[in-house]
Amino acid sequence: RRPMPRKRVDPDAKSAGPSRRERRQAKEQSKKNDLLGELLPLEQQLASGCTEEQLAALAALAEHAADPVGRRVLAAEVPGLLAQLFILCEQQEPQEMQNAALQTLAALTAFDKNEEGEQDAHAILDGGAAEVLGRLLVGSNRRPCEHALGICVNFASTSLGLRDALVTRGIAKRVLDAIPIHDAGQPGPITRKFAELLRVVCSWPVADNAAFRDVVQPLVNSLAILSTSNDDEVLLASLQALANVKYGDDERLLPLVKHATLERLVFLFEQPSPEICVLAARAARQIACGTVTSMQAFLVNQPVPAVCDMMAREEEPSVQREGCLLIAEVSALGGPHVKEVVAAGGVPILKGLLKNEDAGVREAAIRALAALTWRSAPPLVGSLVEAEVVPVVVGMLCAAETSEIVLPALVLLQSLARAGGVLRAQSKLPSNIFAEALIQVGGLDKLKTIVEMSGDKATCQRAIAVMEACCM
């Protein structure tokens, strides 16, 4: 059988047709035109004054709002329809109508987390949603207020720019001023939505400008109250938000002192829920590292024993990691705080965690031991850390470990080598026991490799300092 000849395609004819992108754009435009044909009559139905017609129009509108293309058309091309929707969102009678309108607006504001979704969100916010939400938040009716908070969450979670728009347009400040949170212990739906909104607002970096400076203080005050809640949903949201706020100003500490927030966080360290414990530790670390005053306020609550207990929770590596990082910050102050860690049994726990299977736990443990030994007197270092630790730490200098662990490992080795030199002089030992241990496991060769191969100046300088300390 002879094969059938292939049909030749004229290259000029092929290039003359629409490209795949052009066909896709034409298809999308056709869909938009069809949507416009369906949406424009809905504007008349919403303005008809007939409850039955209005509810039917809202139901149809909600279906279109669930589709990304429908949201885009609604946001940018039918302003009259949006205006009618906003009117119904504030119309208190009948209540069924207002609820349906607010639910439709909530569906419409479930934006995609991309550039087009951000454009749609700005168009709706600028098209009148900001003013409507502001009035609903201060109204006496709790149900519309709850809906408004949920819609604000949709806007704030879309992008950093939308979160900033809520702040600069005064909506965030209005929320903080208007929402009562006296029921934080046994919260209702509004308090839960309020806590979720604050969590989302704080999930983006907080800018240092006038609009945010007016918001941060009442925001921290609200979070301090919400963190006393016994409701897990409210508590987790408030802890996550507290862990994301920057506390570089002592004034931000005042609401936390007023509501005993640091004492509450230390209490939460001992909770069985790993999620609560981890977020409480992150919030405490963020607050304590803000200023010297905030660290002192944290240490007044005697957190070290509870933090050491966190490091000993073997089945929960996330809890152990946060405990180690807190010990690192506390130990960095030196003085009596190092003795507190020693008295609470923190050193044996940290040495054991150097061999933990979880890389994050190992890294946090090495940071804690490095801070602890660096701020301790050399004789104390020698009595706390045996030479057997050296092979474990040297093993962390290999390429298999993360780069973040190398520098604290070098700090610890330098502390050990320096302590070994002091012990040798004081006790008249024949040699530096830590330097000998380092040489036996090939540590000097690894240090030389780091100096030759690493492109990080701080790492190279620290490796050289370790080798110099070994000669003491």
Side-chain angles (χ1 to χ4, degrees), residues 156-167:
S157 60
T158 300
S159 71
L160 172 61
L162 263 298
R163 191 286 309 268
D164 289 351
L166 289 183
V167 175

Side-chain angles (χ1 to χ4, degrees), residues 41 105 147 162 215 352-353 412:
L105 183 56
H147 280 298
L162 263 298
V215 167
L353 292 178
L412 178 54

Side-chain angles (χ1 to χ4, degrees), residues 418-437:
R418 185 179 61 177
V422 174
L423 288 173
R424 175 188 180 186
Q426 291 181 344
S427 303
K428 298 181 180 180
L429 298 175
S431 62
N432 183 329
I433 58 172
F434 291 109
E436 284 186 353

Side-chain angles (χ1 to χ4, degrees), residues 105-118:
L105 183 56
L108 181 59
T109 55
F111 305 106
D112 294 334
K113 305 300 188 291
N114 54 30
E115 185 176 350
E116 290 182 336
E118 184 173 1

Side-chain angles (χ1 to χ4, degrees), residues 398-413:
C398 65
E401 289 288 357
T402 60
S403 58
E404 289 79 7
I405 206 171
V406 172
L407 191 56
L410 291 172
V411 173
L412 178 54
L413 287 175

Side-chain angles (χ1 to χ4, degrees), residues 138-152:
V138 298
S140 57
N141 195 328
R142 294 177 67 84
R143 185 65 176 166
C145 179
E146 180 187 344
H147 280 298
L149 284 169
I151 293 166
C152 287

Side-chain angles (χ1 to χ4, degrees), residues 163-398:
R163 191 286 309 268
D164 289 351
L166 289 183
V167 175
T168 54
R169 299 184 72 145
I171 297 176
K173 183 68 164 61
R174 187 169 294 188
V175 170
L176 291 165
D177 292 341
I179 304 301
I181 50 175
H182 305 298
D183 60 344
Q186 299 296 328
I190 286 184
T191 303
R192 291 193 180 96
K193 285 282 176 63
F194 179 52
E196 174 64 11
L197 177 58
L198 298 190
R199 183 196 68 78
V200 172
V201 167
C202 295
S203 66
W204 304 100
V206 177
D208 186 18
N209 56 40
F212 277 89
R213 282 194 289 272
D214 291 340
V215 167
V216 170
Q217 197 74 358
L219 184 147
V220 173
N221 185 72
S222 295
L223 292 175
I225 298 173
L226 291 171
S227 67
T228 64
S229 177
N230 294 321
D231 181 271
D232 282 358
E233 184 179 342
V234 172
L235 178 60
L236 289 170
S238 62
L239 291 176
Q240 191 169 345
L242 281 170
N244 288 329
V245 177
K246 293 184 179 180
Y247 301 90
D249 187 342
D250 284 342
E251 287 186 9
R252 297 182 186 178
L253 189 63
L254 296 178
L256 304 177
V257 174
K258 175 183 176 182
H259 298 290
T261 303
L262 289 167
E263 182 181 354
R264 168 71 169 166
L265 294 177
V266 173
F267 168 76
L268 294 175
F269 292 170
E270 302 175 354
Q271 296 306 297
S273 166
E275 190 175 10
I276 290 176
C277 186
V278 165
L279 287 176
R282 287 178 184 169
R285 179 157 55 92
Q286 182 76 349
I287 296 168
C289 294
T291 65
V292 174
T293 304
S294 56
M295 176 61 83
Q296 292 171 343
F298 173 60
L299 292 172
V300 165
N301 297 283
Q302 299 180 338
V304 172
V307 176
C308 289
D309 289 342
M310 288 173 59
M311 296 192 301
R313 290 167 66 162
E314 296 181 358
E315 302 300 322
E316 298 164 357
S318 59
V319 176
Q320 291 178 307
R321 179 179 180 277
E322 292 301 326
C324 291
L325 293 175
L326 265 174
I327 288 295
E329 298 297 342
V330 170
S331 301
L333 291 178
H337 310 301
V338 171
K339 295 180 180 179
E340 289 182 37
V341 176
V342 174
V347 175
I349 297 173
L350 287 170
K351 288 191 291 187
L353 292 178
L354 293 177
K355 301 178 182 179
N356 194 279
E357 295 180 356
D358 188 281
V361 174
R362 291 198 302 273
E363 178 187 340
I366 199 74
R367 287 182 182 279
L369 270 177
L372 187 69
T373 56
W374 190 256
R375 300 293 293 178
S376 302
L380 180 60
V381 175
S383 64
L384 293 178
V385 185
E386 305 90 351
E388 284 74 15
V389 171
V390 174
V392 180
V393 180
V394 169
M396 295 180 178
L397 302 180
C398 65

